Amino acid sequence: MTKKILFLGPAGSGKGTQSAKLAEKFGIEHLSTGDLIRGEIKSGSELGNKVKSIVEAGQLVSDDIVNEIVKAKVANLDAFILDGYPRTKGQAEFFSTVSDLDFIFDLEVDSEALIERLTGRRMCGKENDKNCKGTFHTKFNPPQAEGKCDLCGSPLYQRKDDTEEAINKRLGGYEAETGAPLNEFYGAKVSKVNANRKPDEVFADIESKLQVSV
Ligand code: AMP
């Protein structure tokens, strides 16, 4: 499937989960700016050191930095899934000069559910190397062996910005910085998805909207 897909939605709405499912099923590249930035931080690169404290506090990295990261990544791709970018009107304007988009899904979740989803989220320790994308939840999707990834056995960890304080900051800024301006920017192109449901149900809805014969 040669499609350029964007997921909108607050932290915890399931963008990463749905992107990973689509990427796996249809062999499309999944570009998560959060993963890319965490990878830079983990590698100790100059860029990573520059943005570390911003990311861990739950704030946004500057448009210039993420724009350049994404531009370099999509340069030679004719299909991709964007997860976590664009996140500001400035990024959306910039990205429109880089590529077009075929589908935009806005994952909508009630705000009470988001906090519970995020505080219980546990990631595979290999996630930053992009070797494994295992994501679990202490209550909703516990791993078979506590603290260990079902997929590769690596230890699970909690993201530093999945604490209640950082989560409140991330969710608080979302509507003003991302949700409202990007829905206005993309207008009728945005397809709303009720993401209060289980991941497989949300995925089925997205697939039907993509009109893909499975
Ligand atoms: P995520 O994994 O998408 O929740 O992103 C984690 C963190 O990475 C965010 O809280 C920001 O600090 C940073 N980040 C990811 N994508 C962007 C973006 N498009 N613009 C600015 N900061 C970003």
Side-chain angles (χ1 to χ4, degrees):
M1 186 175 47
T2 312
K3 293 281 182 251
K4 297 172 178 174
I5 298 167
L6 162 63
F7 279 102
L8 295 174
S13 59
K15 299 186 299 295
T17 301
Q18 297 301 328
S19 298
K21 278 172 173 284
L22 270 186
E24 194 189 335
K25 183 148 187 179
F26 299 107
I28 310 176
E29 184 105 6
H30 172 196
L31 295 175
S32 155
T33 44
D35 284 352
L36 293 169
I37 291 168
R38 280 186 292 279
E40 291 287 339
I41 294 172
K42 197 182 175 199
S43 76
S45 69
E46 196 182 327
L47 177 68
N49 291 337
K50 196 167 154 189
V51 300
K52 187 173 191 284
S53 59
I54 299 171
V55 174
E56 288 179 357
Q59 289 162 350
L60 291 185
V61 173
S62 77
D63 286 357
D64 290 350
I65 291 179
V66 273
N67 284 341
E68 288 311 313
I69 292 175
V70 173
K71 186 180 175 185
K73 283 279 170 191
V74 302
N76 298 311
L77 294 176
D78 56 6
F80 53 77
I81 302 165
L82 284 178
D83 158 15
Y85 176 95
R87 227 168 173 115
T88 64
K89 191 176 174 204
Q91 291 176 17
E93 284 169 347
F94 174 84
F95 191 70
S96 68
T97 69
V98 172
S99 174
D100 54 354
L101 289 165
D102 299 310
F103 287 94
I104 303 173
F105 295 111
D106 188 5
L107 303 184
E108 297 186 304
V109 182
D110 298 338
S111 52
E112 316 84 70
L114 290 175
I115 304 244
E116 195 180 12
R117 283 189 186 186
L118 289 167
T119 49
R121 180 159 75 172
R122 299 292 181 270
M123 323 290 291
C124 175
K126 281 192 179 171
E127 182 237 12
N128 293 336
D129 301 331
K130 301 199 79 164
N131 293 330
C132 182
K133 294 264 187 181
T135 303
F136 303 86
H137 192 282
T138 49
K139 182 169 155 192
F140 304 129
N141 179 27
Q144 278 165 14
E146 202 185 325
K148 284 211 172 131
C149 177
D150 288 356
L151 308 178
C152 72
S154 298
L156 300 179
Y157 78 103
Q158 182 174 26
R159 278 172 49 172
K160 288 217 171 100
D161 60 352
D162 276 348
T163 60
E164 204 150 340
E165 193 190 348
I167 289 168
N168 282 330
K169 201 167 281 167
R170 287 156 70 206
L171 295 180
Y174 177 77
E175 197 45 34
E177 283 173 312
T178 307
L182 264 56
N183 269 284
E184 195 190 328
F185 186 84
Y186 292 119
K189 203 156 187 189
V190 178
S191 177
K192 301 279 179 187
V193 177
N194 172 4
N196 285 296
R197 299 169 291 170
K198 292 198 176 106
D200 287 349
E201 292 173 44
V202 177
F203 188 65
D205 196 1
I206 290 167
E207 275 194 316
S208 72
K209 286 183 162 72
L210 281 168
Q211 294 174 323
V212 174
S213 50
V214 193

